Amino acid sequence: VVATSSYGDLDLYMRAFRTVHHLRKSKVLVGAATPAGRQATADAFSRHFGTTFKFVTGPEFRAAFDAVDERKAQKEADEFVRGALRVVEPTVREIRNGLRFYLALQEMLKQEKANAITIDCFGSLAANTLPGYPCIAWSKFNDAGLYGVCEADLASTITQMLVTSYAGVPGFVSDPVFDISRNEVIHAHCVSATKMKGISGPSSPYIIRNHLETNEGAVLQVLMPSGETVTVARFTEPTKLLVSTAEVTGTVDSDRGCRSQIRTRVDNAEKWLRNYTAGLHRVIFYGDHVAAIERMGRLMGFEVVREI
């Protein structure tokens, strides 16, 4: 595995071996009305990495939500509001429901002995049909080293589990928006962790907003750090992962797109746009983790393809 006479050179591989074990022992809850359309993807990732997937329905989320004491949820909401720069659109009830749903999902993870959850919040279990928006829960889980991922995107979930387990930094599932005139890509979503530079590090400031596409619920607009290199990655299938790097040049405050937005400079935005594949999402990780991902690819049997 390593052509060296120094045992110290094994350190990086020890972390990779830990990631192999982490994926094998991880369990993902998938919120969807039916498994149809995602079961085959879950089975493929499970065969390759050993990860367990369990599908959860809407009534199960409602029962977990109803079981949470509303006073406990209000206490969590009060603390959440105190930590924010300000609250813009959401009502007290929308914020409380978001924190109550977080506590409900936290209990579900505990009961199922799972460490990751993703919900089809724009599809069969649309966010405005759930008892609360899951966006705050995703941010809190990702800050704690667990995994909360948007839109029942299993490929992004496994991508995040791979890199976060190795590097200790949360993932930011994003929708890329290209600006070839500036050779830039804006990454936007209504969900972001606050500890993007490391789970044990400081939190970035956040503003409490509503979900932009629906004008409902409560989400975080996180003001992420600038002047940093980030890794952009996503599995397209269990044996292929796309990767690139970029430099964060600033945050964006715009009502076009999602609430949390960063502007990044890339090597060739036009080339990336012209050759873009594999769906809308990419997962952003602070730091350059390409070499580590390539090492893990050799160990775990997936091809690493540079997008740009």
Side-chain angles (χ1 to χ4, degrees):
V1 175
V2 189
T4 181
S5 60
S6 172
Y7 285 101
D9 289 341
L10 293 175
D11 290 349
L12 295 176
Y13 286 88
M14 291 299 120
R15 293 167 63 187
F17 296 155
R18 180 195 176 279
T19 299
V20 172
H21 179 79
H22 183 73
L23 288 173
R24 287 178 181 170
K25 296 298 183 181
S26 288
K27 182 177 181 179
V28 182
L29 303 184
V30 184
T34 62
R38 289 184 172 83
Q39 187 68 65
T41 301
D43 290 345
F45 279 114
S46 184
R47 283 193 300 269
H48 196 87
F49 296 108
T51 309
T52 300
F53 296 86
K54 180 179 179 179
F55 286 84
V56 183
T57 63
E60 291 174 272
F61 289 125
R62 168 55 71 176
F65 179 86
D66 290 342
V68 174
D69 188 293
E70 192 166 345
R71 291 169 297 181
K72 184 177 180 181
Q74 186 61 60
K75 182 178 179 180
E76 289 276 347
D78 292 341
E79 183 179 346
F80 178 64
V81 170
R82 283 195 297 270
L85 292 178
R86 61 183 181 277
V87 178
V88 183
E89 300 92 354
T91 64
V92 170
R93 180 179 179 80
E94 286 173 322
I95 296 171
R96 183 175 62 246
N97 283 350
L99 272 299
R100 190 174 178 183
F101 200 29
Y102 157 65
L103 293 173
L105 296 175
Q106 187 180 58
E107 183 61 25
M108 290 182 75
L109 290 179
K110 180 180 178 181
Q111 293 297 323
E112 292 290 342
K113 297 183 179 179
N115 59 337
I117 183 167
T118 181
I119 297 176
D120 186 20
C121 49
F122 273 163
S124 61
L125 292 179
N128 56 11
T129 68
L130 292 166
Y133 273 61
C135 309
I136 293 172
W138 294 173
S139 181
K140 283 183 161 294
F141 287 153
N142 292 334
D143 275 348
L146 299 171
Y147 307 96
V149 182
C150 308
E151 300 175 53
D153 183 345
L154 304 188
S156 291
T157 301
I158 294 295
T159 304
Q160 188 165 328
M161 295 173 81
L162 177 90
V163 181
T164 297
S165 175
Y166 182 89
V169 294
F172 169 49
V173 177
S174 81
D175 298 333
V177 181
F178 291 84
D179 185 350
I180 62 174
S181 69
R182 298 171 56 132
N183 202 39
E184 291 182 340
V185 178
I186 295 172
H187 289 279
H189 233 225
C190 281
V191 175
S192 173
T194 68
K195 297 184 177 182
M196 290 300 299
K197 291 184 67 175
I199 292 165
S200 60
S203 299
S204 294
Y206 63 90
I207 302 166
I208 303 176
R209 306 292 305 271
N210 62 12
H211 196 278
L212 192 141
E213 286 89 346
T214 62
N215 294 315
E216 294 178 338
V219 309
L220 287 79
Q221 179 182 352
V222 179
L223 307 181
M224 287 177 264
S226 300
E228 303 276 350
T229 297
V230 292
T231 300
V232 184
R234 187 175 191 267
F235 277 106
T236 62
E237 55 188 271
T239 56
K240 183 178 180 181
L241 183 142
L242 305 177
V243 70
S244 62
T245 58
E247 180 187 354
V248 182
T249 59
T251 57
V252 181
D253 188 3
S254 170
D255 284 338
R256 299 180 65 185
C258 299
R259 293 302 187 192
S260 292
Q261 301 184 27
I262 53 172
R263 186 183 296 277
T264 67
R265 182 177 297 112
V266 299
D267 287 341
N268 192 327
E270 185 172 9
K271 177 184 176 183
W272 190 12
L273 177 60
R274 185 170 62 247
N275 298 322
Y276 193 87
T277 59
L280 187 58
H281 287 163
R282 292 295 185 271
V283 190
I284 309 300
F285 303 93
Y286 272 68
D288 185 345
H289 308 292
V290 174
I293 291 171
E294 289 175 337
R295 279 194 296 272
M296 289 190 286
R298 290 192 293 273
L299 288 170
M300 301 167 73
F302 60 84
E303 178 187 12
V304 178
V305 178
R306 304 260 184 156
E307 285 203 270
I308 48 175

